[in-house]
């Protein structure tokens, strides 16, 4: 797996083209192969949040070990920043739901490298950003989506 994978928690949460929009944001930061891995949703979604998992390829992390952790951290920070901007734009679209937007950037082992929740306050309309990385580290690793 030498590609970044975008995996929606529930593909029905996203309108046509939204995941492709996320792919273009990623490609601007880290050019290379990107795959959107969707599976048919069965039953109801289990969370109120709109969830996106982004899988980093082993080659990127191996390169980080070679050139330094700071290089990988810069990519992860840039991905996080772009996701936050994307979530804010989504909140500002007319008719868009106020469902929180969540991203977890995962290493190839299925463990979070960075997780962020973006919410919009109903009362103040303020955007609230919460780093969930340490909380998510306690969860079991996620399984890589099938190829």
């Amino acid at each position: 797996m030498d590609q970044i994978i975008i995996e929606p928690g529930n593909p029905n949460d996203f309108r046509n083209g939204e995941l492709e929009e996320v792919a273009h944001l990623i490609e601007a930061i880290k050019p290379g192969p990107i795959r959107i891995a969707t599976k048919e949703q069965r039953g109801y979604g289990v969370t109120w949040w709109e969830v996106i998992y982004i899988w980093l390829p082993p080659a990127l992390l191996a390169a980080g070990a070679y050139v330094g952790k700071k290089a990988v951290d810069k990519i992860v920070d840039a991905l996080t920043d772009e996701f936050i901007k994307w979530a804010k734009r989504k909140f500002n679209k007319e008719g868009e739901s106020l469902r929180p937007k969540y991203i977890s950037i995962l290493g190839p082992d299925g463990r979070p490298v960075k997780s962020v929740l973006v919410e919009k306050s109903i009362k103040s309309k303020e955007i609230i950003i919460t780093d969930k990385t340490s909380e998510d580290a306690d969860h079991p690793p996620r399984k890589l989506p099938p190829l």
Side-chain angles (χ1 to χ4, degrees), residues 85-138:
K85 290 176 195 173
W86 177 80
K88 287 178 179 179
R89 284 193 304 272
K90 245 188 110 158
F91 280 130
N92 290 328
K93 285 184 183 174
E94 188 174 330
E96 182 62 42
S97 78
L98 292 178
R99 292 175 62 193
K101 319 304 182 212
Y102 169 86
I103 187 173
S104 186
I105 301 171
L106 305 168
D109 61 356
R111 298 210 175 271
V113 176
K114 181 81 170 186
S115 298
V116 174
L117 178 66
V118 182
E119 303 172 272
K120 185 170 186 176
S121 169
I122 295 171
K123 291 182 182 179
S124 69
K125 305 293 186 208
E126 175 186 10
I127 301 291
I128 303 158
I129 300 164
T130 309
D131 188 324
K132 306 289 260 177
T133 309
S134 60
E135 184 179 322
D136 289 351
D138 295 335

Side-chain angles (χ1 to χ4, degrees), residues 1-8 26 33-35 37 52-58 60-61 79 103-113 141-146:
M1 175 184 88
D2 191 26
Q3 59 189 347
I4 291 177
I5 299 173
I6 300 170
E7 177 191 15
I26 293 170
I34 298 171
R35 178 171 66 94
I52 296 178
Y53 300 101
I54 297 179
W55 292 82
L56 298 178
L60 176 65
L61 297 178
L79 290 172
I103 187 173
S104 186
I105 301 171
L106 305 168
D109 61 356
R111 298 210 175 271
V113 176
R142 186 161 180 83
K143 292 186 188 229
L144 188 66

